[in-house]
Amino acid sequence: MSVKFRRGAALALAALLLLLPGCAKLGGPELINVSYDPTREFYEAYNILFAEHWYELTGKHVELIQSHGGSGAQALSVSQGLPADVVTLALEADVQAIADEGLIDAGWIDEFPNDSAPYTSTIVFLVHAGNPKGIYDWGDLVRADVGVITPNPKTSGGARWNFLAAWAYAEDLYDGDLLHVEKFIEDLYRNVLVLDSGARGSTTSFVENGQGDVLLTWENEGFLAMEEYPGEYEMVTPSVSILCQPSVAVVDEVTRVNGTARLATEYLNYLYSDEAQRLAAEHYYRPSNQDILAEYGDRFDLTVELVTIDDFGGWKEAQAVYFADGGVFDRIYENME
């Protein structure tokens, strides 16, 4: 299927997205950013900042269109025809899945600094005010009296980070005994009340629908929930978590057809500017610029022990072992049925 045909098939969707917050229609060139759930508020603000930057740089206005959903589902949508100029997804594996379809050029991870991850996050627990169930670490999530909310790792990048953070804790707890580690993860998922398709859906289940005792969530989502519902929730940072590196990339095949390669590259490159890095911090993402991150040391717990995806052999191996069809997650979930 050609990019031109895919773009035509998605015109109705693009028209709808123009009506959403963060989509500025000013009569200039158009850029579509396909992102994941928890970035909505950040990119609404960033689009305003970037539009001003682009006008100063070129003297032209720009139309910025957003799409949000579970990261894995978004990657699939782009692979199947959603005409993204750029993707800003939850993890490297989702971007690579699009590259494997021939839409993103090889070597994309080296196109921008820090493995094309302009901001980072980590996984935390959101609990009810006063922490009535006494939830302080991963071991508390397997207790019979605890209801857990987390998205589905098959569709959500955030959920995969959640899974791997829990796995790292269990692997340390049981000295790498895989039978005990898998049993721990199985017990955790037996306590999951709702497997939403994306991180924002899980936040809604917890904070708006009142489901569960603890939400496994991006750090920035936890901050946003506490900001929106002051005094109702509090954040718990577990003893071990994971460095989450959301990845960005130009969708090269689309930008070549649309003539938007320069615009798309600058849109992602400007995420590394001091202004955008501080904007990310204000929206509770950890800046990749370590000097700017240090400015927000009173906001983020910079002492938490963080494993990285490299501890799991990188995303290619982690995806194949844990989240591919027939992988560890499928096996664990089948045991629960």
Side-chain angles (χ1 to χ4, degrees), residues 88-170:
T88 55
L89 297 175
L91 41 83
E92 176 189 331
D94 289 333
V95 178
Q96 187 58 46
I98 301 170
D100 291 342
E101 294 297 322
L103 297 174
I104 296 174
D105 292 348
W108 65 268
I109 199 166
D110 298 318
E111 185 171 356
F112 300 100
N114 301 310
D115 296 329
S116 291
Y119 41 79
T120 68
S121 190
T122 189
I123 300 304
V124 300
F125 304 161
L126 194 68
V127 300
H128 297 281
N131 196 1
K133 290 293 183 74
I135 298 168
Y136 298 103
D137 212 341
W138 294 101
D140 296 314
L141 305 187
V142 300
R143 291 183 355 222
D145 65 329
V146 172
V148 178
I149 302 296
T150 181
N152 188 341
K154 303 294 283 189
T155 56
S156 166
R160 277 171 267 178
W161 290 118
N162 293 350
F163 180 100
L164 293 177
W167 187 279
Y169 171 87

Side-chain angles (χ1 to χ4, degrees), residues 2-279:
S2 71
V3 172
K4 184 175 182 180
F5 178 80
R6 286 197 297 264
R7 185 170 181 80
L11 284 178
L13 174 60
L16 173 63
L17 292 173
L18 282 170
L19 302 177
L20 298 177
C23 301
K25 185 166 179 59
L26 299 171
E30 174 187 288
L31 179 139
I32 299 177
N33 174 11
V34 173
S35 196
Y36 66 107
D37 274 331
T39 61
R40 297 170 191 266
E41 293 79 9
F42 168 61
Y43 277 110
E44 286 176 16
Y46 176 72
N47 285 348
I48 295 171
L49 184 68
F50 177 77
E52 294 172 351
H53 167 70
W54 185 252
Y55 186 78
E56 291 175 359
L57 191 66
T58 67
K60 297 179 181 179
H61 295 293
V62 60
E63 298 175 20
L64 301 170
I65 301 170
Q66 290 297 129
S67 173
H68 297 274
S71 186
Q74 291 288 80
L76 182 61
S77 293
V78 173
S79 295
Q80 293 180 340
L82 182 61
D85 296 282
V86 301
V87 289
T88 55
L89 297 175
L91 41 83
E92 176 189 331
D94 289 333
V95 178
Q96 187 58 46
I98 301 170
D100 291 342
E101 294 297 322
L103 297 174
I104 296 174
D105 292 348
W108 65 268
I109 199 166
D110 298 318
E111 185 171 356
F112 300 100
N114 301 310
D115 296 329
S116 291
Y119 41 79
T120 68
S121 190
T122 189
I123 300 304
V124 300
F125 304 161
L126 194 68
V127 300
H128 297 281
N131 196 1
K133 290 293 183 74
I135 298 168
Y136 298 103
D137 212 341
W138 294 101
D140 296 314
L141 305 187
V142 300
R143 291 183 355 222
D145 65 329
V146 172
V148 178
I149 302 296
T150 181
N152 188 341
K154 303 294 283 189
T155 56
S156 166
R160 277 171 267 178
W161 290 118
N162 293 350
F163 180 100
L164 293 177
W167 187 279
Y169 171 87
E171 195 167 48
D172 182 64
L173 179 66
Y174 295 110
D175 294 322
D177 186 326
L178 292 183
L179 288 177
H180 283 91
V181 173
E182 286 199 20
K183 182 60 168 59
F184 178 91
I185 300 297
E186 180 181 324
D187 289 344
L188 191 161
Y189 277 90
R190 284 187 186 279
N191 284 347
V192 173
L193 304 180
V194 181
L195 274 179
D196 290 292
S197 62
R200 184 54 56 88
S202 285
T203 302
T204 298
S205 293
F206 185 71
V207 303
E208 294 185 16
N209 300 339
Q211 296 175 295
D213 302 300
V214 57
L215 171 69
L216 310 188
T217 186
W218 296 89
E219 183 179 51
N220 63 292
E221 278 285 274
F223 275 119
L224 287 173
M226 292 191 298
E227 184 179 272
E228 186 172 355
Y229 299 90
E232 295 187 34
Y233 301 99
E234 60 187 67
M235 188 184 298
V236 173
T237 302
S239 63
V240 176
S241 194
I242 191 165
L243 177 66
C244 305
Q245 294 178 287
S247 297
V248 303
V250 174
V251 185
D252 298 287
E253 186 178 350
V254 173
T255 61
R256 281 192 284 265
V257 170
N258 295 341
T260 54
R262 180 192 175 200
L263 171 60
T265 300
E266 185 61 20
Y267 183 82
L268 298 183
N269 190 59
Y270 194 63
L271 286 167
Y272 294 87
S273 68
D274 289 354
E275 296 84 357
Q277 289 283 288
R278 290 191 174 92
L279 185 67

